[in-house]
Amino acid sequence: MDRQGNVLNKEQYIGAPIERAHLHRGFSSKKTPIKWIRFFRACVLQREIAQEQKSKRIKKIWFILLGVFLCNFLSIPLNFISETIGAFFGVIGMLTCPGLIVAGIMTYLTNKKFKKNFTDGFDFFADYFSALFTLIEEDLQLDSRIALEANVKDTVTEENLIKNESYTSESRGFISGVEKNYERVISKGSCFFNDESLIFFQFSERTRERIIKKRGSSGKRKTKHKYRAAYPFTIKMKIPKHKYQLNPSIDTTQISFAEDDEYYVFKVYRKFDVKKENPAQYNPYEESSISSFAVDYFSLEVINLINTCYSCVTPSA
Amino acid sequence: MEENKIRCEEFTGLFVVRNCENKPTIVCYKCKKNVCNIHAFKANKIVSQNSGLQVYKKKNAILCISCFVEFDARLTNDIELYSKDRSVWRRKMINRFHEEYPYMVFMADDYGSLFDSSSTVFLHDDSDDGSYFDS
Ligand SMILES: [Zn+2]
Ligand SMILES: [Zn+2]
């Protein structure tokens, strides 16, 4: 028996009939933690495989074009052997220019098809949520499933726009500016712990985009797009009253508290912000900065939100 | 603890920590704890430069998860989560959590029947999650 178990590898995922392309663009499902982890792994592997196939295809297209181009040169010496063969190669060589256009279009379409089926940024999602679910796996009820809804599309799109206003700056050469705010719920979900507590979580991306028109030092006009993103993670926890007592002092600056007949309800919040937490990694010209948080850091911080809720109660003796 | 009631001597859980309920199948070569299959790991799979480890590797010893994690020098980033090593990863992360955060932990054992696993399995209707995030 292999105690360490087997890992999923690429070969197992070529052509595997699991939930296909739609999962790369968003999904909503309930699964046990291990099934989610497998699912995330499969998504990442499928994307890798598709990316390899895509690059191969593009390489092939340009390789053929190169062949067509070389026919121009071959046709000259071949003319001495036979004029027919020479002319034949000459004609193929003449296809270089239209071929260039066709190859360009085919490359564009291949890339577009890939982008439609496989989104960027799924790797971070897979890593973070695999880590999080692994950490809480043993606290779930046996065979209990985690409900998870995800939207891994781009945040900076019209449908996520929540505010659009003009922006001014004192900086040199400034002509005009617009500031746009976007928000997308990356994922939300819920699960039960085996002490009957309920956990709800929501993870969002908030992006501020500044479009600045300015005059450069040479006097040339240019437009700059600058971004700042933050990632609020909210945990809402309902802890059963028949198992726990409320502690007398709760720090309500950090925790919102409510209660109903059966549960104490806590809500805590943690905003991940690269510019504040890891300024060296902040790049204003990149839309998303989530992948600059280490998986360990992210998952421990989220676990600490649950920890913070539990710190408000004591098990009834 | 009574000696005649033999169960795995490892634990599970992060917030409500319970004793593992599984039947032990193996005795840890190092600490002599009785552990179940889930909590047992092959010493020769340990990645580490530690020379004290050779004796365990040579004997193809089986270790409990605690002893395994103690030797295993891998960084958490290098552990594949879709594998049995997931529990090694979890143990390493829990250890880090203990060190880095003021940690809230409830030992199920301390509260008797309150966290009795046979009575806590409720088949909740887990569909009522709609209105919780409208604020
Ligand atoms: Zn041991
Ligand atoms: Zn065990």
Side-chain angles (χ1 to χ4, degrees):
Chain A
M1 186 181 70
D2 184 4
R3 286 186 180 281
Q4 260 65 26
N6 291 316
V7 299
L8 270 186
N9 59 38
K10 264 187 205 176
E11 285 64 39
Q12 287 172 279
Y13 267 89
I14 294 177
I18 65 156
E19 303 93 328
R20 277 215 179 268
H22 77 276
L23 57 84
H24 301 279
R25 276 309 197 182
F27 49 83
S28 170
S29 183
K30 269 184 194 176
K31 296 177 196 296
T32 57
I34 179 67
K35 288 231 170 98
W36 275 121
I37 293 162
R38 184 189 158 86
F39 172 87
F40 297 145
R41 189 82 197 102
C43 290
V44 170
L45 285 178
Q46 280 191 343
R47 185 179 188 280
E48 274 173 20
I49 293 161
Q51 182 136 38
E52 268 169 29
Q53 282 170 348
K54 185 194 83 171
S55 327
K56 254 189 216 157
R57 192 180 146 87
I58 291 174
K59 235 183 244 165
K60 209 158 118 193
I61 293 169
W62 291 95
F63 199 73
I64 290 169
L65 186 72
L66 182 72
V68 170
F69 176 67
L70 290 177
C71 285
N72 282 313
F73 300 97
L74 280 174
S75 74
I76 300 162
L78 282 172
N79 248 328
F80 294 106
I81 302 164
S82 153
E83 280 192 12
T84 334
I85 298 174
F88 178 69
F89 275 79
V91 169
I92 295 178
M94 278 195 282
L95 293 174
T96 307
C97 271
L100 196 67
I101 296 165
V102 172
I105 292 172
M106 281 173 81
T107 304
Y108 170 76
L109 290 178
T110 309
N111 279 326
K112 199 177 144 189
K113 190 177 156 207
F114 177 81
K115 251 199 113 178
K116 193 180 149 222
N117 288 337
F118 302 96
T119 188
D120 268 335
F122 196 85
D123 291 22
F124 97 77
F125 188 90
D127 288 347
Y128 287 1
F129 282 87
S130 297
L132 192 58
F133 292 173
T134 300
L135 279 167
I136 60 173
E137 191 179 359
E138 290 181 345
D139 288 70
L140 296 179
Q141 287 179 16
L142 200 65
D143 296 326
S144 121
R145 294 178 302 164
I146 301 172
L148 179 70
E149 205 183 305
N151 169 2
V152 282
K153 289 181 199 166
D154 286 339
T155 298
V156 181
T157 61
E158 280 309 307
E159 60 183 311
N160 297 322
L161 185 68
I162 49 171
K163 214 163 81 186
N164 186 357
E165 49 196 22
S166 72
Y167 164 77
T168 51
S169 161
E170 300 292 304
S171 70
R172 260 187 35 175
F174 179 84
I175 301 167
S176 71
V178 180
E179 184 175 294
K180 292 181 172 187
N181 285 278
Y182 302 88
E183 180 161 4
R184 167 179 60 114
V185 176
I186 300 172
S187 75
K188 58 181 175 183
S190 61
C191 60
F192 289 93
F193 276 3
N194 52 21
D195 62 357
E196 296 172 49
S197 295
L198 284 83
I199 288 97
F200 300 88
F201 52 89
Q202 179 172 284
F203 182 40
S204 309
E205 180 170 61
R206 282 188 197 149
T207 310
R208 184 189 73 194
E209 181 189 25
R210 279 184 182 157
I211 305 163
I212 301 157
K213 286 201 174 75
K214 60 189 285 186
R215 214 178 292 280
S217 46
S218 61
K220 228 174 113 190
R221 278 164 150 261
K222 51 186 174 183
T223 307
K224 280 193 166 180
H225 294 255
K226 285 185 156 189
Y227 301 93
R228 169 104 194 252
Y231 300 85
F233 201 112
T234 313
I235 290 273
K236 181 155 190 159
M237 237 185 126
K238 293 175 80 178
I239 299 180
K241 286 183 168 176
H242 73 274
K243 295 222 166 172
Y244 294 91
Q245 286 172 310
L246 193 65
N247 290 345
S249 57
I250 294 172
D251 180 5
T252 47
T253 56
Q254 290 189 28
I255 305 162
S256 22
F257 169 71
E259 60 186 312
D260 60 25
D261 291 347
E262 287 173 68
Y263 295 98
Y264 304 113
V265 185
F266 303 97
K267 194 164 161 183
V268 282
Y269 169 87
R270 167 78 166 84
K271 193 159 83 182
F272 293 90
D273 182 339
V274 171
K275 200 183 177 192
K276 267 193 198 148
E277 293 167 61
N278 200 352
Q281 290 241 18
Y282 172 65
N283 176 353
Y285 299 105
E286 243 163 48
E287 279 180 33
S288 172
S289 51
I290 186 63
S291 47
S292 34
F293 290 101
V295 172
D296 301 20
Y297 179 76
F298 172 85
S299 49
L300 288 182
E301 284 292 304
V302 172
I303 285 299
N304 193 43
L305 291 178
I306 302 174
N307 187 40
T308 306
C309 296
Y310 270 128
S311 70
C312 300
V313 295
T314 312
S316 312
Chain B
M1 288 288 131
E2 280 177 78
E3 289 217 54
N4 52 2
K5 192 197 165 207
I6 301 175
R7 50 151 196 78
C8 170
E9 292 172 71
E10 275 293 342
F11 62 87
T12 65
L14 175 55
F15 294 106
V16 178
V17 177
R18 299 153 197 276
N19 296 314
C20 176
E21 300 280 326
N22 294 336
K23 260 211 189 114
T25 52
I26 267 137
V27 177
C28 171
Y29 193 88
K30 184 167 176 270
C31 72
K32 309 294 178 220
K33 251 178 1 204
N34 293 301
V35 289
C36 69
N37 268 339
I38 291 170
H39 288 120
F41 288 80
K42 281 179 182 166
N44 56 20
K45 296 269 178 157
I46 296 173
V47 182
S48 168
Q49 304 300 322
N50 189 335
S51 55
L53 193 58
Q54 289 315 316
V55 54
Y56 301 107
K57 284 197 172 183
K58 239 178 246 160
K59 298 232 153 124
N60 277 331
I62 306 286
L63 301 176
C64 71
I65 184 168
S66 306
C67 294
F68 185 92
V69 167
E70 210 177 285
F71 280 124
D72 186 25
R74 278 179 302 176
L75 299 171
T76 45
N77 279 343
D78 299 331
I79 298 175
E80 164 64 53
L81 292 185
Y82 188 70
S83 75
K84 196 192 175 187
D85 277 0
R86 193 165 71 259
S87 44
V88 174
W89 182 91
R90 177 168 42 237
R91 187 59 68 86
K92 281 174 184 260
M93 290 289 278
I94 291 174
N95 291 347
R96 264 186 62 187
F97 194 60
H98 278 266
E99 283 161 24
E100 295 171 25
Y101 295 84
Y103 180 47
M104 215 49 228
V105 60
F106 307 124
M107 300 297 296
D109 250 12
D110 298 345
Y111 299 98
S113 61
L114 194 62
F115 293 118
D116 185 351
S117 55
S118 57
S119 72
T120 55
V121 179
F122 269 62
L123 291 172
H124 286 281
D125 171 22
D126 43 6
S127 58
D128 83 311
D129 46 329
S131 62
Y132 278 96
F133 285 101
D134 35 22
S135 53

